[in-house]
Amino acid sequence: MKFSESWLRELVSPVLSTDELIAQVTMAGLEVDGSEPVAENLTGVLVGEIISIETHPNADKLKVCQVWDGDKQVQVVCGAPNARTGIKVPFATVGAVLPDDFVIKKAKLRGVESQGMLCAQNELGLGEDASGLWELPTDAPVGVDFNAYLGLNDSIIEVDLTPNRGDCLSIRGLAREVGVLNQLDVKAQVCTPVEPSINDTIDVNLHAPEGCARYVGRVIKNLDLSNYIFFDGL
């Protein structure tokens, strides 16, 4: 079973590093097969907002963008077809490190200074879309570290559970185990009820009520997945 370390720490968070947590869980009898970061290493990438655009004086396909990084205005030359005023995008600042150890430096593109890079999904190793800039939701907080914004500062840990440890086949069960090991209370999960806006239902027949006394579900329609990222193993 794979689980998110950050999700576990929402319920119980001992003062242990990832490696120490893995060692502790292993010694408790929950064999850990491995762990990996949820995304490739990114540093120096912020949520930025394009506040103005001018045509590049020496190149028809390039644009000179003024970008707000939450603290100051920065000039960036960009060739993305969807670059326009008002959108929020990943902004790799000077000194940022992208996948494959690609370091962002000050540059001059056709004679115009550029201080950073506005990014597409594939340039960050977080998707395959290379058609243009990654447009973020309008409520994305400008200036926030991009890793923090997407919750990428996380590890996926895989445990190989034996048949007698079915109590750990859930994030609550794992949290309870870690809480006992560290003599910590496990936080209760607070789930705010969401009133349904449609009355559609699906017929469900319970053929083994002694094994499943209750089955609960909800019909969801018109779900827009365009602003979400899905990682293998989650």
Side-chain angles (χ1 to χ4, degrees), residues 206-223:
L206 291 179
H207 297 290
E210 66 284 354
C212 179
R214 189 177 185 221
Y215 185 96
V216 179
R218 174 171 290 184
V219 177
I220 301 176
K221 293 185 176 181
N222 302 319
L223 187 63

Side-chain angles (χ1 to χ4, degrees), residues 1 18 20 50 60 66 74 78 99 102 132 136 141 146 155 158 170 173 176 178 201 207 217 229 233-234:
M1 184 183 81
T18 300
E20 290 170 337
I50 300 177
D60 293 338
Q66 300 300 323
V74 182
C78 177
F102 181 70
L136 304 176
F146 198 66
S155 297
E158 183 174 6
S170 69
R176 185 168 54 244
V178 172
T201 60
H207 297 290
I229 304 175
L234 282 180

Side-chain angles (χ1 to χ4, degrees), residues 161-172:
L161 296 174
T162 52
N164 64 318
R165 293 312 307 266
D167 58 305
C168 289
L169 277 172
S170 69
I171 198 70
R172 285 188 66 184

Side-chain angles (χ1 to χ4, degrees), residues 2-227:
K2 294 183 177 181
F3 67 92
S4 159
E5 181 184 353
S6 66
W7 190 10
L8 174 70
R9 290 185 182 276
E10 288 180 11
L11 303 181
V12 59
S13 187
V15 185
L16 299 172
S17 67
T18 300
D19 289 341
E20 290 170 337
L21 177 64
I22 288 173
Q24 184 185 69
V25 169
T26 299
M27 294 305 295
L30 306 178
E31 181 181 352
V32 176
D33 285 344
S35 67
E36 59 185 1
V38 299
E40 293 191 60
N41 184 47
L42 297 174
T43 61
V45 182
L46 309 175
V47 175
E49 180 178 5
I50 300 177
I51 56 177
S52 69
I53 290 182
E54 296 179 356
T55 302
H56 193 292
N58 304 316
D60 293 338
K61 293 185 178 181
L62 296 179
K63 302 170 185 176
V64 181
C65 305
Q66 300 300 323
V67 180
W68 182 249
D69 69 359
D71 180 55
K72 61 185 180 301
Q73 181 175 307
V74 182
Q75 180 171 286
V76 180
V77 177
C78 177
N82 63 331
R84 63 187 186 278
T85 301
I87 63 171
K88 296 178 180 180
V89 297
F91 172 41
T93 59
V94 173
V97 180
L98 305 188
D100 298 323
D101 293 325
F102 181 70
V103 180
I104 302 299
K105 301 177 181 178
K106 287 184 180 180
K108 278 193 175 181
L109 301 179
R110 301 292 294 271
V112 176
E113 187 175 88
S114 181
Q115 301 182 39
M117 185 173 85
L118 304 179
C119 304
Q121 283 188 3
N122 70 315
E123 292 168 327
L124 300 176
L126 297 174
E128 299 180 355
D129 189 355
S131 62
L133 299 179
W134 185 355
E135 297 188 33
L136 304 176
T138 56
D139 62 353
V142 177
V144 168
D145 178 81
F146 198 66
N147 287 334
Y149 172 63
L150 286 185
L152 301 180
N153 298 318
D154 191 10
S155 297
I156 299 301
I157 301 172
E158 183 174 6
V159 293
D160 187 7
L161 296 174
T162 52
N164 64 318
R165 293 312 307 266
D167 58 305
C168 289
L169 277 172
S170 69
I171 198 70
R172 285 188 66 184
L174 283 166
R176 185 168 54 244
E177 185 76 7
V178 172
V180 169
L181 292 172
N182 294 279
Q183 299 182 356
L184 295 174
D185 293 332
V186 178
K187 296 180 182 176
Q189 292 177 289
V190 179
C191 299
T192 304
V194 178
E195 293 298 325
S197 58
I198 57 176
N199 296 319
D200 298 37
T201 60
I202 295 176
D203 291 334
V204 175
N205 295 314
L206 291 179
H207 297 290
E210 66 284 354
C212 179
R214 189 177 185 221
Y215 185 96
V216 179
R218 174 171 290 184
V219 177
I220 301 176
K221 293 185 176 181
N222 302 319
L223 187 63
D224 182 5
L225 301 179
S226 60
N227 291 322

